[in-house]
Amino acid sequence: MLTFMASDSEEEVCDERTSLMSAESPLPRSCQEGQQGEEDGDSAAQWRSQESEEDCEDDPDRYICSGVPGRPPGLEEELTLKYGAKHVIMLFVPVTLCMVVVVATIKSVRFYTEKNGQLIYTPFTEDTPSVGQRLLNSLLNTLIMISVIVVMTIFLVVLYKYRCYKFIHGWLIMSSLMLLFLFTYIYLGEVLKTYNVAMDYPTLFLTVWNFGAVGMVCIHWKGPLVLQQAYLIMISALMALVFIKYLPEWSAWVILGAISVYAAMVWTVGMAKLDPPSQGALQLPYDPEMEDSYDSFGEPSYPDVFEPSLPGYPGEELEEEEERGVKLGLGDFIFYSVLVGKAAAAGSGDWNTTLACFVAILIGLCLTLLLLAVFKKALPALPISITFGLIFYFSTDNLVRPFMDTLASHQLYI
Amino acid sequence: MTAAVFFGCAFIAFGPALALYVFTIATEPLRIIFLIAGAFFWLVSLLISSLFWFLARLITDNRDGPTQKYLLIFGVLLSIFIQEMFRFGYYRLLKKASEGLKTINPDETAPSMRLLAYVSGLGFGIMSGVFSFVNTLSNSLGPGTVGIHGDSPQFFLNSAFMTLVIILLHVFWGIVFFDACEKKKWYILLIVLLTHLLVSAQVQGYGVMKSNAMNIF
């Protein structure tokens, strides 16, 4: 879901996860700057000079964004479109980082590719003799997983509707505690085992305690924006690794497909339910769309959203930056990373598949943001990217890989 | 093989591309997007050509021997042709986007076609280089002996240089191609295609390379 939010409020914790949201841009400020620029006769140069010095020198090839057709004072559209390119990149960076962390871990730490049991949400095993049975089991697993998600969503919606905010906050704190301490401890243990580094318990305790405590403070209270984003990336990566480890092969792929279909369905239902006038006023978007639980213990994963930091105009305060920008839910991070991580874990030692999925997801994100800029409405971030990712995973794994392997062994370059 | 080989070959192959990216593209969000879109187009072209090659192999029932060689040559020719087609397709797309922006706001300049040519060429090149070389690179980190069956021990170095050449060539082809399309000199497109075919025909070690590293997996 993409919403235009004027400000971040305390209720931000209830934002939906699988959503891409953009905050309203501060028109007055930009209008002033734009007008000032036009007076100078070179609006683009003025505008751009705030963001990078180099562009002013690169005259013939400098890109200046123009607006949407049909609106004479095209400043708002200019802002939106310019906004778009910059924010696409600002989303690319954290998504890329999360994927890099997940892929690096998968490729080096063997723990996350070892089959060691399954979650209770996917009770059916895939160790069956026949292909049909395996397919059936994975479909059943997917059904159970999706129903768990639906149930948890409804539960959270009910809690939210009856204003049990304390419960929701408590739940969030519990889940982030678990992610920041327990999962980090396990992750650190496995990384140390992989690299055969000995660490005594006092050091371990100190490290994990500091990491977790600072994380809790940054996420739930105040902290430098970059640090907060880094922690959100880390917990998304940890969650994705848990999924990669505990979801069996075919179930994972079917679940990915089912989740994106579910997200799209929920979005269309939400669009139908909400009437346009209330969209602007609604700071808490789309109750029906709240999906928060992917946690292996039935607790919601962190439903907060990831906000890329804008390069501030000079003199701007940190709080104001948070009011503008596109927001991407943590669930999206997690599922993108699950897709790329599964591609990396696929066992054939092939990097082409991973890279193809990575590029596909980025292009999907690009397209989603483009649609956001065009429609100016909330959009689910999962469906397009996951679809591209799935298509590219299966086609690269089955078609491109043999081709490239054959070419490489003959040292042919195309 | 050693970390030195890994890093050396990695930087030989991707160093210039990385430098080009860092100094010319990373600063501009829009250029990054065009770069990734270019990479995506190359990827789709590869996908389609792999599909055809796969189908051709299915049709000939995976017979071994010279059939496989001819199929591979066919695959390479087809792939190059499809790549150039997709380059043309990307040119049309960029032209439309560019024109759209120009009509919206004729006072302000859109990115020039030459810049877009460079960015798209780099996108194609990076994706092509990465797909060709990254598996070889990751093999170079593992155990093995290069050229144990009598092949060239300079396998990694050759591959790295060839990858570098391909990346840079894609950049140049992109620029020449787009320029030819802009000036409507269609024979230049043919020249680009022919040079691409010529370069791909420069097979380094003919015959199957069976370095120990490749046999690990």
Side-chain angles (χ1 to χ4, degrees):
Chain A
M1 302 293 262
L2 290 144
T3 52
F4 288 97
M5 294 173 64
S7 66
D8 290 348
S9 55
E10 282 300 299
E11 280 90 359
E12 194 203 325
V13 295
C14 298
D15 294 341
E16 62 274 41
R17 299 175 55 233
T18 55
S19 62
L20 196 58
M21 298 183 283
S22 74
E24 200 162 47
S25 45
L27 289 176
R29 187 191 290 267
S30 338
C31 275
Q32 282 165 23
E33 279 154 4
Q35 281 158 19
Q36 182 197 1
E38 284 200 294
E39 285 160 14
D40 292 344
D42 193 1
S43 60
Q46 281 292 78
W47 198 352
R48 305 282 277 128
S49 66
Q50 289 174 7
E51 291 167 63
S52 79
E53 302 298 313
E54 304 158 15
D55 297 323
C56 298
E57 292 140 27
D58 195 17
D59 271 320
D61 295 326
R62 183 181 54 202
Y63 178 72
I64 292 122
C65 175
S66 31
V68 167
R71 293 271 302 256
L75 284 172
E76 292 166 20
E77 285 75 20
E78 280 181 34
L79 193 65
T80 313
L81 204 56
K82 176 75 182 182
Y83 201 71
K86 206 164 198 70
H87 284 82
V88 171
I89 300 307
M90 284 173 167
L91 280 181
F92 275 7
V93 172
V95 168
T96 310
L97 279 174
C98 191
M99 289 195 226
V100 162
V101 170
V102 169
V103 170
T105 309
I106 293 279
K107 289 284 188 185
S108 54
V109 180
R110 244 196 307 251
F111 172 72
Y112 288 103
T113 43
E114 284 165 4
K115 280 295 141 217
N116 213 348
Q118 294 180 198
L119 298 172
I120 51 165
Y121 305 119
T122 52
F124 294 94
T125 175
E126 284 196 7
D127 240 341
T128 55
S130 76
V131 171
Q133 181 71 19
R134 188 174 186 186
L135 192 61
L136 183 68
N137 280 358
S138 55
L139 284 170
L140 289 170
N141 280 340
T142 310
L143 271 170
I144 295 177
M145 188 78 164
I146 299 284
S147 17
V148 165
I149 290 172
V150 170
V151 163
M152 299 300 283
T153 306
I154 294 175
F155 181 51
L156 276 170
V157 168
V158 161
L159 281 177
Y160 174 67
K161 264 208 156 70
Y162 289 109
R163 303 180 184 281
C164 307
Y165 296 141
K166 287 252 182 307
F167 192 94
I168 296 179
H169 279 161
W171 195 329
L172 285 178
I173 289 182
M174 265 296 304
S175 74
S176 50
L177 260 176
M178 200 182 58
L179 273 170
L180 281 170
F181 287 100
L182 180 64
F183 285 6
T184 307
Y185 168 71
I186 295 173
Y187 179 79
L188 193 60
E190 292 305 323
V191 169
L192 290 174
K193 262 189 235 169
T194 305
Y195 291 105
N196 205 14
V197 173
M199 191 186 263
D200 53 309
Y201 275 114
T203 312
L204 183 70
F205 173 74
L206 212 60
T207 312
V208 172
W209 169 253
N210 275 313
F211 181 81
V214 174
M216 291 299 288
V217 165
C218 269
I219 294 174
H220 291 276
W221 192 47
K222 285 191 249 222
L225 190 61
V226 176
L227 199 59
Q228 183 187 39
Q229 292 172 351
Y231 270 105
L232 290 175
I233 292 177
M234 274 310 301
I235 62 179
S236 307
L238 285 172
M239 204 60 226
L241 285 168
V242 166
F243 277 133
I244 294 171
K245 181 173 173 63
Y246 289 110
L247 286 179
E249 290 292 330
W250 290 19
S251 306
W253 296 112
V254 183
I255 285 174
L256 277 171
I259 286 275
S260 44
V261 168
Y262 174 64
M265 266 171 43
V266 161
W267 174 73
T268 43
V269 166
M271 281 294 112
K273 267 181 142 188
L274 282 174
D275 45 284
S278 71
Q279 270 185 42
L282 208 67
Q283 293 307 306
L284 277 140
Y286 317 123
D287 301 348
E289 274 72 52
M290 257 165 51
E291 321 167 60
D292 288 314
S293 56
Y294 297 107
D295 209 285
S296 56
F297 293 89
E299 300 174 30
S301 292
Y302 206 76
D304 236 357
V305 291
F306 189 96
E307 285 179 313
S309 60
L310 273 181
Y313 290 96
E316 201 175 80
E317 291 185 34
L318 214 60
E319 284 77 34
E320 284 181 345
E321 274 182 16
E322 291 175 6
E323 295 190 16
R324 299 167 300 161
V326 189
K327 297 183 180 186
L328 183 63
L330 284 197
D332 301 324
F333 276 86
I334 293 176
F335 282 107
Y336 293 162
S337 307
V338 167
L339 198 151
V340 175
K342 272 288 182 195
S348 49
D350 187 52
W351 284 89
N352 291 345
T353 319
T354 314
L355 287 164
C357 290
F358 169 70
V359 171
I361 288 179
L362 286 187
I363 291 290
L365 195 57
C366 220
L367 281 174
T368 313
L369 284 166
L370 188 69
L371 289 177
L372 166 65
V374 167
F375 290 125
K376 299 200 200 320
K377 271 200 300 191
L379 279 181
L382 275 184
I384 301 180
S385 289
I386 299 282
T387 313
F388 275 19
L390 287 174
I391 293 175
F392 273 83
Y393 170 73
F394 287 110
S395 47
T396 311
D397 203 36
N398 298 315
L399 298 174
V400 176
R401 194 164 49 91
F403 187 47
M404 292 308 290
D405 281 348
T406 321
L407 286 177
S409 65
H410 287 78
Q411 257 191 322
L412 277 169
Y413 288 87
I414 54 168
Chain B
M1 291 122 284
T2 63
V5 169
F6 173 76
F7 282 109
C9 289
F11 285 121
I12 286 176
F14 299 118
L18 188 66
L20 285 172
Y21 174 80
V22 164
F23 289 117
T24 58
I25 301 207
T27 47
E28 280 292 311
L30 205 66
R31 293 181 200 173
I32 301 180
I33 295 173
F34 283 134
L35 185 86
I36 298 185
F40 181 71
F41 267 70
W42 187 88
L43 195 60
V44 174
S45 80
L46 181 69
L47 199 75
I48 293 178
S49 44
S50 310
L51 178 67
F52 283 130
W53 177 77
F54 193 77
L55 288 175
R57 247 196 3 176
L58 269 183
I59 291 172
T60 61
D61 277 331
N62 270 340
R63 262 173 303 176
D64 246 335
T67 323
Q68 292 301 315
K69 207 168 76 174
Y70 296 139
L71 272 180
L72 195 63
I73 295 174
F74 163 72
V76 168
L77 290 177
L78 191 65
S79 171
I80 292 172
F81 189 66
I82 294 180
Q83 275 179 52
E84 298 304 328
M85 254 173 50
F86 267 79
R87 208 194 293 274
F88 186 69
Y90 195 43
Y91 164 76
R92 296 298 293 269
L93 182 71
L94 287 177
K95 191 104 182 111
K96 247 188 222 166
S98 211
E99 263 165 18
L101 290 166
K102 272 203 195 102
T103 53
I104 288 164
N105 209 332
D107 300 326
E108 301 184 343
T109 53
S112 73
M113 213 53 195
R114 189 170 302 152
L115 175 72
L116 293 176
Y118 160 69
V119 170
S120 80
L122 192 59
F124 269 58
I126 289 180
M127 208 57 186
S128 170
V130 159
F131 258 63
S132 310
F133 195 50
V134 84
N135 278 333
T136 316
L137 257 188
S138 83
N139 282 346
S140 79
L141 266 180
T145 310
V146 189
I148 200 170
H149 290 277
D151 303 306
S152 160
Q154 309 303 331
F155 175 69
F156 290 119
L157 210 57
N158 287 341
S159 304
F161 275 107
M162 196 61 190
T163 309
L164 167 68
V165 159
I166 287 284
I167 295 178
L168 292 178
L169 276 173
H170 268 291
V171 176
F172 304 148
W173 283 327
I175 297 175
V176 169
F177 195 97
F178 278 40
D179 188 64
C181 288
E182 287 281 290
K183 298 189 176 135
K184 307 255 186 280
K185 292 184 183 166
W186 305 115
Y187 67 93
I188 295 186
L189 299 190
L190 199 61
I191 294 179
V192 168
L193 182 68
L194 286 175
T195 46
H196 196 166
L197 286 168
L198 188 68
V199 168
S200 288
Q202 303 296 319
V203 180
Q204 302 295 300
Y206 210 63
V208 179
M209 291 298 265
K210 275 201 186 280
S211 77
N212 203 10
M214 298 301 213
N215 283 336
I216 290 290
F217 295 109

